[in-house]
Amino acid sequence: MKRMCLIAVLLCCCWAMSAAASEVMVSASSTTRTAAVEGLCRRAVEQAVESVIGDMATQKNRDRLDASMYGSCSEYITAMKISQEEKDEAGTFQLAARATIDDVLLRDKLIALGLLAPERVATVAVFATERFLGNWVYSYFNSISDSGGEPNECEVALGSQLRESGFSEVDLDFSADERRAARSFRTVFGRYKDLSALPNDTAVRAAKIVDSDAVVVVSCRVLADVGDGKDSAFMYSACAEVSCKAVDTASKRRVSTASASKCVPHANRTTGGMAAIRAACSEIGKKMGKKLSGRYIKP
């Protein structure tokens, strides 16, 4: 097929697993209702983490989890319904609730922390726009609804480097259905000349049209120019600056960013500019390859 510290006392816990979410029943108590609700949030995420990496690993890494996850527990909870609320004679609030956990975000964070081994093979889609000598060279994907087109210099160089790092790229041989579906994205790629600023959800939707199996989408902006005068060796100085971000298509979260700048001397302004673009985008590919290697399985 083609180209996501408060007192908390656990009273009961039961998991209902789905493809992307888990439900857990938790209870918490505190002297204020706000603190008790925060306790529910924290305990729900604690339970989710324990279910994924085990109790021993959870205890061993408690300080890291406190700093990286538990303090922002609401990030991993998509819904919470309080099923029981009482206040005893001492003024203590006792709450029970059903919390829904975003498994994709939670597992992705644990992988980023090095507490969980990568689970998915990364198939990567690369989008890039290039501004060179005052003109924009749009991404190949801007014209995938047409009959022709080739990836631009950056898309070729960056994708090649990712392949050398062991990752696979999306298939650029589009079916008629994919071309028809892509028409709605022509205005998107035309409007966002800086594809590094492409909204994450938009980048993901575009990548999924290109390849339903795309796991990571890398979107880039390339700014290249050439000096007007030649140096003593009769060479122009061609320079390129590139900035990119990588987004996970399941979580729709940014998993990496990278930037690079390269200058290349050349007697021909156009040839030199293309060489500078390739050099900068190749460096981005090397950086991205290293960063993604810790988060995804290579084919």
Side-chain angles (χ1 to χ4, degrees), residues 12-246:
C12 59
C13 173
C14 64
W15 290 88
M17 303 302 295
S18 68
S22 302
E23 286 189 346
V24 59
M25 291 293 297
V26 290
S27 297
S29 64
S30 188
T31 54
T32 67
R33 188 179 188 279
T34 297
V37 171
E38 292 178 355
L40 291 174
C41 174
R42 178 188 174 93
R43 188 52 191 151
V45 175
E46 286 179 340
Q47 284 297 121
V49 170
E50 288 171 8
S51 74
V52 174
I53 65 174
D55 180 68
M56 184 176 296
T58 299
Q59 295 300 324
K60 181 179 179 180
N61 296 281
R62 180 162 296 279
D63 289 344
R64 292 180 64 198
L65 292 167
D66 276 336
S68 302
M69 295 186 71
Y70 298 155
S72 56
C73 57
S74 60
E75 180 179 351
Y76 308 98
I77 297 178
T78 59
M80 181 180 288
K81 183 177 181 180
I82 295 178
S83 57
Q84 183 178 346
E85 180 173 346
E86 296 179 357
K87 184 178 180 180
D88 63 21
E89 295 180 354
T92 300
F93 288 85
Q94 298 179 344
L95 306 180
R98 181 188 298 274
T100 302
I101 304 294
D102 188 323
D103 285 340
V104 173
L105 289 182
L106 183 131
R107 297 177 82 89
D108 186 64
K109 183 64 175 181
L110 290 172
I111 291 171
L113 291 173
L115 301 180
L116 183 66
E119 301 171 316
R120 292 183 298 154
V121 176
T123 300
V124 185
V126 179
F127 304 151
T129 47
E130 303 171 351
R131 189 178 189 278
F132 180 47
L133 296 177
N135 298 311
W136 282 98
V137 178
Y138 292 101
S139 169
Y140 169 73
F141 302 96
N142 186 49
S143 59
I144 61 178
S145 60
D146 296 335
S147 58
E150 294 291 337
N152 59 36
E153 296 289 338
C154 187
E155 289 169 344
V156 170
L158 203 161
S160 176
Q161 194 60 56
L162 287 173
R163 289 195 302 274
E164 287 189 22
S165 297
F167 296 102
S168 60
E169 270 194 287
V170 294
D171 185 1
L172 297 182
D173 183 17
F174 302 108
S175 68
D177 288 341
E178 287 171 327
R179 290 184 185 280
R180 283 192 291 270
R183 290 191 182 115
S184 63
F185 279 90
R186 295 194 68 181
T187 56
V188 171
F189 284 113
R191 182 169 69 250
Y192 286 96
K193 292 183 173 66
D194 179 0
L195 289 186
S196 66
L198 192 67
N200 291 357
D201 60 341
T202 303
V204 169
R205 285 189 290 126
K208 288 296 186 179
I209 284 179
V210 171
D211 187 337
S212 60
D213 288 335
V215 172
V216 178
V217 53
V218 178
S219 55
C220 305
R221 180 203 65 186
V222 180
L223 298 178
D225 208 347
V226 182
D228 292 330
K230 294 184 177 182
D231 60 17
S232 58
F234 301 100
M235 294 287 188
Y236 292 104
S237 178
C239 298
E241 294 184 357
V242 184
S243 58
C244 303
K245 69 175 179 179

